[in-house]
Structures are given as C-alpha cells and as structure tokens.
Amino acid sequence: MPKPSKREDLLVSAMETFHARGFHGTGIKEIADAAGAPKGSFYNHFSSKEECAIEALRLFGAERRLDMLADTTSPPLERIRRHFEFLRDETVDRDFTRGCMFGNFATGVVDHSEEIRSAVADSLQTWSGALAVALTEARRDGAVRADLDPDSTARFLVNTWEGTLIEARATKSAAAFDTFFSMVFEVVLR
Amino acid sequence: MPKPSKREDLLVSAMETFHARGFHGTGIKEIADAAGAPKGSFYNHFSSKEECAIEALRLFGAERRLDMLADTTSPPLERIRRHFEFLRDETVDRDFTRGCMFGNFATGVVDHSEEIRSAVADSLQTWSGALAVALTEARRDGAVRADLDPDSTARFLVNTWEGTLIEARATKSAAAFDTFFSMVFEVVLR
C-alpha cells in the first residue's frame, strides 16, 4: 500500500502546479517531478488527472480559511472584511498572479469536464454558504441592510470577488481590491 | 499580398476557437482548419499565436455591443440593463458555456503573456469606460444613487459580471444572472 505522505506530497504539488499553470498547462509528470516522485507512481494515488484536480481543488478550498467567517469572537461584518483582506493579501503577495483556482477552473475547464464543473459548483456553494451564515448574523445585529437576502448576497459577493481578481490580474494593480472593499462595505451592505 | 478576406476568415475562426477552447487549448492548425486555410498561411497574416489572440480579443470586444450603452434614444439605466441582458442571453443561448473571452484570458493567460495581459486590461477599460459614461448620465438624471462614483461603479459592474459568468458556468444555471440583476439594479445602483 502506498505511503499516505507521498499522496499528500503529490496533492500539494498538484495544487501548486494547477494553480500556477492551469489545468491544461499542467502535466502529470510536472506534478510528480515537483513532489519528487516517479511519474508512474501518480496512478498509485489518483485514477486520473481530473480526479487529482478535484482533490487539489478541495485542498485549495480548505486553504480559503472559511473558519475566519465562523469565528464569533469578532462581529460578523468584521469577519467578512478580514476574510476578503486575507484573500486580497494572498494575491498581492503573489504579485497579482494565480488568482483563485475556482475561477480559473470555471473559466478554463468546466465546459470540458462535468466532474470538475460539479466540483467547482460545490466549492463556490460551500464558500457562499459560509458567507451567508455570517451575513445572516450581521443582518440580525442590524449591521447590514435589512432588505438583503443573505444567500443571494453571499453568492453576489463571491462572484464579485472572482471578477475583482480578473481585473487585479489583468491590471496588476490593487485598485480593483480598493473598489471591491468600498463598493461592498459602503454601498452593497449598507 | 494575401487577400484581406482570408485574414478575416482566420480571425473569425480564431475568435471562435479561442472562445470555445481557451488560449492553451487552441492550436494554429485548428484555427486554419476551421477557416479552410492551409496551416502555413496563418503566418502570412499573423506573426504569432499571441498576436492573433490579441486581434481575436479585439474582435470579441467589438461584439460586446458597447454601442447599446451610448444609444441616447432610451434612458441610461435602461441601456445598461439591456446591455447586460444581451450578454446574459448570449451565454444562456450557448448553454452556459464559453463565458467571456476577457475573463477566460485573464484567468488563464495573463500570468504568462505580458502582451495579452495588457490587451485584456485595455478591453476591460474600454468596457467600463462606456459603462461609466452611461452611469454619469444616469446620475445626472437622478436615476442612480448620487454618491456613486461612475468610474468605480462601472469597474465594479464589469467585475461583478465576470464573476457572475463564473457561477453561471459552474452551475449551468441562470440563477446567477437573476441575482446579478436584482443586486445591481435594486441594491447597488439605488
């Protein structure tokens, strides 16, 4: 039976490579090389590149720090702001490259793989679900407009974030993030 | 000298193929085949795949119908709504595939081609510029909130649209569009 740690190594390498080079730009050999594993060993752990990409997408999702949204030691609106600041800082630190794997797969892969399409939809749903919980709390506290539907608003914020990454990557500028924060926190939610 | 019409054929074919299969998924042979041209003739018209992609991006931009935003025979807010309805219908008609070439290139190519990155940034800027003109008129008419900055709001709407396409493609559902229209026209602009 293969060692679990080698699977972990391959998965982390897959996430990094898919994130940096996209699904179509990533080969199994590159993933194996980056993990210091022989190419043939890949199939001891994953049945296909698609399956590996879906696992990598889940690992990427786990690093989105949705736990920040559920940390009730700070007010819900503050948590939402910090969550997006965390995501912004990650992109700025990467010099506006890579973006979000959900958006990358949604624009580059979903038309051609039903399995990946479904995994991207689940990832977006999990994310907007966590945001909706915090927005429901914020509405209860009177911190956001009472007429906002938390579920729709959460999906709207996720989508707006994904599009903000598109502008930030195309312009290599944080101006897109500044607009996101001012429009979301001073217009949409107020 | 090559006939201009053959260059047009190649360009239309390039736009269709890049849109359907992405930059990395498209080969010069595919573009030439779809245009009924020999592969070798491609380089009579374009110096590289990148140059062709940038021309294809411009052609795609020209089909975004920005003229709808400048048609002063209807009120500016109505024009903005119809513009996004036109874009929505295009995606619904394609069964939620393909998305927007600006967003596709921004998530899949901009990290690896400075020329394409710059062309995507220009495309987004042209689009948000046309929206900003209509938003300025709408603000003057009192049809949108007086405290909205037309330029920031225009970029925010473009980004939100790009992210809405991500959800629509991942879920193969028009729900993302419904949320876009209700959030933009009932919350953001009011």
Side-chain angles (χ1 to χ4, degrees):
Chain A
M1 189 178 160
K3 286 185 194 170
S5 64
K6 184 48 74 185
R7 187 179 193 278
E8 280 306 300
D9 290 349
L10 282 164
L11 196 52
V12 169
S13 155
M15 183 184 72
E16 294 288 330
T17 316
F18 282 127
H19 197 195
R21 308 195 51 83
F23 182 79
H24 296 298
T26 296
I28 286 168
K29 185 173 184 313
E30 268 177 292
I31 294 172
D33 283 353
K39 185 181 173 189
S41 72
F42 180 89
Y43 292 103
N44 295 337
H45 301 279
F46 304 102
S47 64
S48 65
K49 184 174 153 187
E50 277 79 3
E51 191 213 338
C52 178
I54 289 167
E55 292 289 324
L57 196 70
R58 290 202 183 113
L59 182 59
F60 179 82
E63 294 189 354
R64 298 306 85 205
R65 296 289 316 275
L66 299 187
D67 57 298
M68 292 174 80
L69 293 168
D71 171 12
T72 52
T73 58
S74 61
L77 209 54
E78 189 57 33
R79 282 178 251 154
I80 294 171
R81 182 188 288 275
R82 282 194 203 146
H83 171 67
F84 283 113
E85 285 173 347
F86 163 77
L87 298 177
R88 174 199 63 196
D89 293 348
E90 187 183 59
T91 295
V92 172
D93 289 348
R94 285 172 176 151
D95 195 25
F96 303 100
T97 63
R98 296 197 177 196
C100 171
M101 206 187 281
F102 304 159
N104 299 352
F105 277 16
T107 51
V109 196
V110 298
D111 292 356
H112 312 294
S113 164
E114 188 58 23
E115 292 74 17
I116 290 176
R117 185 190 69 70
S118 173
V120 172
D122 287 349
S123 299
L124 294 173
Q125 174 62 44
T126 300
W127 186 8
S128 65
L131 272 168
V133 171
L135 283 168
T136 302
E137 286 177 58
R139 198 177 61 170
R140 183 202 60 204
D141 298 350
V144 298
R145 292 165 59 142
D147 63 341
L148 288 178
D149 172 64
D151 291 324
S152 304
T153 307
R155 287 167 44 237
F156 185 75
L157 293 192
V158 163
N159 294 347
T160 299
W161 181 258
E162 291 293 331
T164 297
L165 285 175
I166 284 174
E167 185 193 346
R169 296 179 74 177
T171 57
K172 278 196 175 283
S173 154
F177 295 127
D178 296 342
T179 299
F180 174 88
F181 283 99
S182 65
M183 289 295 293
V184 166
F185 290 96
E186 291 163 30
V187 176
V188 177
L189 300 179
R190 294 302 168 114
Chain B
M1 189 177 160
K3 285 185 195 168
S5 66
K6 185 47 74 184
R7 186 179 192 279
E8 280 306 300
D9 290 347
L10 282 165
L11 196 51
V12 169
S13 156
M15 183 184 71
E16 293 288 329
T17 316
F18 283 128
H19 198 194
R21 310 196 48 83
F23 182 80
H24 296 297
T26 296
I28 287 167
K29 185 173 184 313
E30 268 177 292
I31 294 172
D33 283 353
K39 185 181 172 187
S41 73
F42 180 90
Y43 292 103
N44 296 337
H45 302 278
F46 304 102
S47 65
S48 65
K49 184 174 153 186
E50 277 78 5
E51 191 212 340
C52 178
I54 289 167
E55 292 289 327
L57 197 69
R58 290 202 184 112
L59 182 58
F60 179 82
E63 294 190 352
R64 298 305 84 204
R65 295 290 316 276
L66 299 186
D67 58 298
M68 293 174 78
L69 293 168
D71 171 12
T72 52
T73 59
S74 61
L77 209 54
E78 190 55 35
R79 282 178 251 155
I80 294 172
R81 182 189 287 274
R82 283 193 204 147
H83 171 67
F84 283 112
E85 285 172 347
F86 163 76
L87 298 178
R88 174 200 62 195
D89 292 347
E90 187 184 59
T91 296
V92 172
D93 288 347
R94 285 171 175 153
D95 195 24
F96 303 101
T97 62
R98 296 195 177 196
C100 170
M101 206 187 282
F102 304 159
N104 299 352
F105 277 16
T107 51
V109 196
V110 297
D111 293 356
H112 312 294
S113 165
E114 187 59 21
E115 291 74 15
I116 291 177
R117 184 188 71 68
S118 172
V120 173
D122 287 349
S123 299
L124 293 173
Q125 174 62 44
T126 300
W127 187 7
S128 65
L131 271 168
V133 171
L135 284 168
T136 301
E137 286 178 57
R139 196 176 64 169
R140 183 203 60 203
D141 299 349
V144 299
R145 292 164 58 142
D147 63 343
L148 288 179
D149 172 65
D151 291 324
S152 304
T153 306
R155 288 166 44 237
F156 185 75
L157 293 192
V158 163
N159 295 346
T160 298
W161 181 258
E162 291 292 333
T164 297
L165 285 174
I166 284 174
E167 185 194 346
R169 296 178 72 178
T171 58
K172 277 195 176 285
S173 155
F177 296 126
D178 297 341
T179 299
F180 174 88
F181 284 99
S182 65
M183 289 295 295
V184 165
F185 290 95
E186 291 163 30
V187 177
V188 177
L189 300 178
R190 293 301 168 116

